[in-house]
Amino acid sequence: MAMIDDLKAIEAQAAKGISGAPTLDDLDRIRVAVTGKKGSLTGVLRSMGAVPPEQRPQVGKFANEVRGRVEEALEARRVELSHAAMQARIAADAVDVTLPGRRPQVGSQHLISQIVEEMEQIFCGMGYRVMDGPQVETTYYNFTALNAPEDHPSRSARDTFYVVDNAPEGKEAHVQGESDVLLRTQTSGVQVHTMEEHEPPIYMICPGTVYRPDTADACHLPQFTQIEGLVVDEGITFGDLKGTLDYFCREMFGSDRATRYRPHFFPFTEPSCEVDVSCGVCGGKGCRFCKGTGWLEILGCGMVDPNVFGFSGIDPEKYSGFAFGIGAERVAALRYDLPDLRMLMTGDMRFLRQF
Ligand code: DAH
């Protein structure tokens, strides 16, 4: 009965291998080596022909029993190993649901955008339209059509960023042969675009970025935001200008703040003035913030000069109007008592989150 001994040896070896198999792959290798087509057990079963006929039933029965037990052991170990593998995966992927979550960072509008939007609301409430204009301008729109003389100092390269040197020979003879294309120094050029494109009555504001070759300090920025305003209609007077801007200041800064109109000069308005708002820090008594004056300047304004109407083809005998230019950064500083305009440009979230 040598074959019975062989079967017993195969079974013992298989049992040892199966129980010690560390992974599913190792287990599968054992399965192939024992019960596979060329496996040891299969080999024994194939050689049944060599067994004397009277022993065949007994040997055959035993061989089938061995095969059954080996297959059972293989399956039991397979279940055990796959369960362990699953447990390991679960442990590795574990999420601690008690940990505090990561909050998504919610964005918000920059303070200057908020101020601009608020001004748009105030003026739209009075029936104004919001216009847009190019930031890259020509000397014609930024200066000439706004009645600025050819030798006006603001045209020089020390006060204006010129963009490309494409001035045609002798044309639009700006200062010292510079380019006639520039980064606008003011939004006032949009007045001209608007009057060229629209018939009066015109009630518009235009918020936008302007550029000047200034070194940034507490009260100046080389890039800042203006809100231009223009009204052209029949019978518009200085009283309309004052009523409009007083209303704006009350809405923007509160009814406890006073306004003051100081005579000034702008080439495109006549008469012109600058408007101050009483200082919110000292209530108008004078402090460091307002440099002891009790007032803070926020805008320039005036009655549209008839020459400007002339450039844009509007009849100054029939129409009159007023214009104004407000600095959004100044308004923000005034409203929130900001000691330094540069805070608006740094992107420091500790500062910006306050608004
Ligand atoms: N453009 C002027 C500036 O940048 C501000 C200004 C003054 C605009 C008077 C106006 C105005 O429309 O009428 O300083």
Side-chain angles (χ1 to χ4, degrees):
M1 292 284 221
M3 196 162 277
I4 297 269
D5 291 338
D6 285 352
L7 286 167
K8 281 183 178 161
I10 288 170
E11 182 178 3
Q13 207 195 347
K16 200 171 151 215
I18 289 167
S19 63
T23 68
L24 285 165
D25 284 348
D26 294 314
L27 188 66
D28 204 51
R29 245 170 266 129
I30 294 170
R31 183 187 62 73
V32 172
V34 181
T35 63
K37 266 191 206 146
K38 292 178 186 162
S40 49
L41 189 56
T42 317
V44 172
L45 291 171
R46 280 225 184 93
S47 54
M48 283 295 281
V51 178
E54 69 281 6
Q55 290 177 12
R56 264 186 219 155
Q58 201 196 344
V59 174
K61 185 169 171 260
F62 186 69
N64 278 328
E65 283 166 7
V66 168
R67 189 192 180 92
R69 282 196 294 273
V70 167
E71 278 172 355
E72 236 168 74
L74 278 168
E75 177 59 13
R77 184 66 181 152
R78 193 192 63 74
V79 169
E80 214 172 277
L81 284 175
S82 44
H83 184 71
M86 169 77 83
Q87 289 300 325
R89 227 178 305 136
I90 289 171
D93 288 354
V95 173
D96 182 352
V97 294
T98 66
L99 280 174
R102 282 186 214 127
R103 278 173 194 279
Q105 279 226 21
V106 180
S108 64
Q109 265 190 324
H110 189 273
L111 174 57
I112 293 303
S113 305
Q114 290 177 34
I115 295 275
V116 166
E117 208 161 272
E118 214 172 302
M119 292 201 210
E120 288 178 1
Q121 271 163 14
I122 293 171
F123 282 100
C124 286
M126 291 189 274
Y128 285 56
R129 284 177 63 182
V130 179
M131 308 293 260
D132 202 4
Q135 295 184 26
V136 178
E137 262 295 10
T138 60
T139 48
Y140 178 77
Y141 287 101
N142 200 75
F143 296 121
T144 309
L146 288 165
N147 204 32
E150 291 299 329
D151 59 353
H152 196 276
S154 65
R155 288 184 183 245
S156 84
R158 306 174 84 220
D159 287 319
T160 298
F161 287 115
Y162 284 90
V163 180
V164 275
D165 192 3
N166 70 343
E169 204 59 32
K171 182 124 190 294
E172 190 51 58
H174 46 74
V175 190
Q176 296 146 11
E178 321 276 357
S179 156
D180 70 343
V181 179
L182 47 77
L183 294 184
R184 68 180 174 191
T185 60
Q186 51 185 358
T187 44
S188 302
V190 183
Q191 290 185 31
V192 183
H193 288 293
T194 306
M195 287 189 281
E196 281 178 356
E197 286 156 28
H198 298 272
E199 297 275 311
I202 293 169
Y203 290 81
M204 76 88 177
I205 58 163
C206 169
T209 310
V210 300
Y211 306 85
R212 290 181 194 177
D214 283 335
T215 305
D217 64 25
C219 346
H220 297 87
L221 295 173
Q223 174 189 323
F224 58 101
T225 313
Q226 282 190 332
I227 290 91
E228 192 73 21
L230 174 70
V231 168
V232 183
D233 205 344
E234 288 178 46
I236 297 293
T237 68
F238 198 91
D240 297 311
L241 177 158
K242 192 162 183 295
T244 304
L245 293 178
D246 277 354
Y247 173 77
F248 161 73
C249 290
R250 273 200 308 278
E251 287 292 298
M252 200 71 204
F253 302 108
S255 49
D256 53 328
R257 306 287 278 270
T259 53
R260 172 173 87 167
Y261 292 69
R262 258 186 306 106
H264 196 78
F265 174 79
F266 294 106
F268 37 93
T269 43
E270 182 60 34
S272 307
C273 40
E274 284 187 328
V275 176
D276 301 334
V277 173
S278 61
C279 178
V281 175
C282 60
K285 285 200 260 337
C287 66
R288 244 183 41 184
F289 190 57
C290 58
K291 300 197 182 80
T293 63
W295 296 97
L296 293 150
E297 180 214 319
I298 57 151
L299 63 87
C301 61
M303 302 305 289
V304 179
D305 192 298
N307 285 345
V308 174
F309 281 144
F311 274 107
S312 307
I314 285 180
D315 180 3
E317 296 299 324
K318 183 168 179 201
Y319 293 106
S320 57
F322 64 83
F324 54 88
I326 307 172
E329 284 77 4
R330 285 271 173 92
V331 169
L334 249 172
R335 187 144 160 200
Y336 296 107
D337 304 333
L338 308 182
D340 193 322
L341 292 186
R342 286 171 295 190
M343 295 168 112
L344 294 163
M345 302 298 279
T346 55
D348 186 335
M349 293 309 288
R350 292 168 304 179
F351 168 71
L352 293 172
R353 276 207 201 96
Q354 299 175 77
F355 308 104

